[in-house]
Amino acid sequence: MSQRAPIGVFDSGVGGLSVTREIRRLLPGEDILYYADSAYCPYGDKDPALIRRRERTILDFLLSLGAKLIVVACNTASSTGLEELRQISPVPVVGMEPAVKPAVNATRNGKIGVLATGVTIAGDRFASLVNRYAENTCVITQPCPGLVERVEEGKINDLETRNFLMGFLQPILDQGADTIVLGCTHYPFLRPLIEELAGPEIAVIDTGLAVARQVSRVLTENNLASQENRPGKEQFYTSGDQTRVSHVIRSLWLTDNVSVEKIPLSP
């Protein structure tokens, strides 16, 4: 595998861009392929068997474009099918998990809240995280149905989203959590709003930078890190509405210089 080959990243939609932007900041010379599976978004209300099929299909697509490493930039997809992807992929696969361990280290009163999809919260990977790192910590889980869709529509700071989000935050705050984990890659785009609504005394944690650092480590360990002395490029793909997804990606990526190609990929 060539060091000049791209990194492949995918998510149920545009949420994985929160991880991709950290990869871009840390690894400015790497080319990146990003697949937003927007036609099937959100994954959080889908059957796990369907999610695993989508993961395998997208893996094959990114490998066909020469990806040297795959990032599953989705907590739900990681919870559902990460281990299977690692078994079948000929290249390294990096996944996501909610930042329970950092939150346990950060909490002052022993109470943390986790915002995530229902599939992530109910998954074995999340249960394992809590068992390993939060035995003596109160973990307050809050599924957030509909929140991913707000980000997918680019509605990250309007009044409806504020009211919607407060409905998820209030139960966590009422139970006294002093630390909140963003357990979905869509949610970091709502972080400024979450911090405003939760208040300055509440710590908010996500895993984007940690995943970017892991990508860097894996590339180095496998002698796959780019040695090119040039800025890396991005190419975006989606299974959804090309016009709508392009608009949202431009908004979240903070540039109009974005190319999005529609590649539906059959189930």
Side-chain angles (χ1 to χ4, degrees):
M1 182 63 65
S2 169
Q3 294 174 336
R4 291 176 291 181
I7 297 169
V9 185
F10 75 89
D11 177 42
S12 64
V14 299
L17 295 174
S18 66
V19 177
T20 308
R21 67 182 177 183
E22 298 296 342
I23 295 172
R24 169 53 69 231
R25 288 170 183 163
L26 190 62
L27 302 170
E30 297 287 352
D31 289 339
I32 298 174
L33 309 172
Y34 184 93
Y35 190 89
D37 198 16
S38 304
Y40 291 82
C41 187
Y43 281 173
D45 62 3
K46 299 294 188 297
D47 184 279
L50 172 62
I51 297 172
R52 287 191 289 270
R53 288 199 300 273
R54 295 305 298 165
E55 291 184 75
R56 293 191 296 269
T57 298
I58 297 167
L59 171 70
D60 288 343
F61 171 68
L62 293 173
L63 290 175
S64 76
L65 298 179
K68 63 184 176 183
L69 177 143
I70 302 296
V71 182
V72 184
C74 174
N75 283 275
T76 298
S78 293
S79 175
T80 303
L82 180 62
E83 298 311 317
E84 179 183 344
L85 285 193
R86 284 177 169 163
Q87 291 173 7
I88 66 176
S89 174
V91 303
V93 178
V94 174
M96 305 286 302
E97 61 184 22
V100 170
K101 182 179 180 181
V104 169
N105 293 334
T107 182
R108 303 179 303 278
N109 67 5
K111 296 180 180 180
I112 67 173
V114 180
L115 300 174
T117 68
V119 171
T120 295
I121 290 171
D124 292 340
R125 286 176 64 85
F126 182 74
S128 176
L129 277 175
V130 173
N131 289 336
R132 280 181 288 151
Y133 301 121
E135 182 178 2
N136 299 313
T137 301
C138 175
V139 180
I140 305 157
T141 57
Q142 178 60 57
C144 304
L147 198 55
V148 164
E149 289 91 327
R150 303 298 297 175
V151 178
E152 286 292 311
E153 295 170 5
K155 298 176 180 178
I156 59 176
N157 196 26
D158 62 353
L159 180 59
E160 187 175 354
T161 299
R162 293 171 72 91
N163 293 336
F164 204 63
L165 188 54
M166 199 63 213
F168 298 134
L169 288 173
Q170 199 62 60
I172 291 174
L173 299 175
D174 287 347
Q175 294 178 70
D178 67 356
T179 305
I180 294 176
V181 175
L182 306 184
C184 171
T185 56
H186 284 75
Y187 301 170
F189 290 112
L190 299 166
R191 182 170 185 155
L193 183 55
I194 291 170
E195 290 176 335
E196 176 190 338
L197 294 174
E201 69 280 4
I202 305 299
V204 179
I205 299 175
D206 72 75
T207 56
L209 179 57
V211 171
R213 288 172 174 161
Q214 177 65 6
V215 168
S216 179
R217 283 193 293 269
V218 172
L219 289 176
T220 300
E221 289 170 359
N222 289 274
N223 195 31
L224 291 173
S226 174
Q227 306 301 316
E228 297 290 307
N229 187 23
R230 59 164 177 80
K233 299 175 291 185
E234 303 90 29
Q235 175 62 53
F236 301 94
Y237 303 91
T238 185
S239 58
D241 183 283
Q242 185 176 11
T243 301
R244 183 186 64 80
V245 173
S246 296
H247 174 74
V248 176
I249 289 180
R250 290 188 183 102
S251 173
L252 298 179
W253 201 248
L254 301 178
T255 179
D256 289 332
N257 187 26
V258 167
S259 171
V260 180
E261 184 176 352
K262 182 170 182 175
I263 305 289
L265 300 180
S266 59

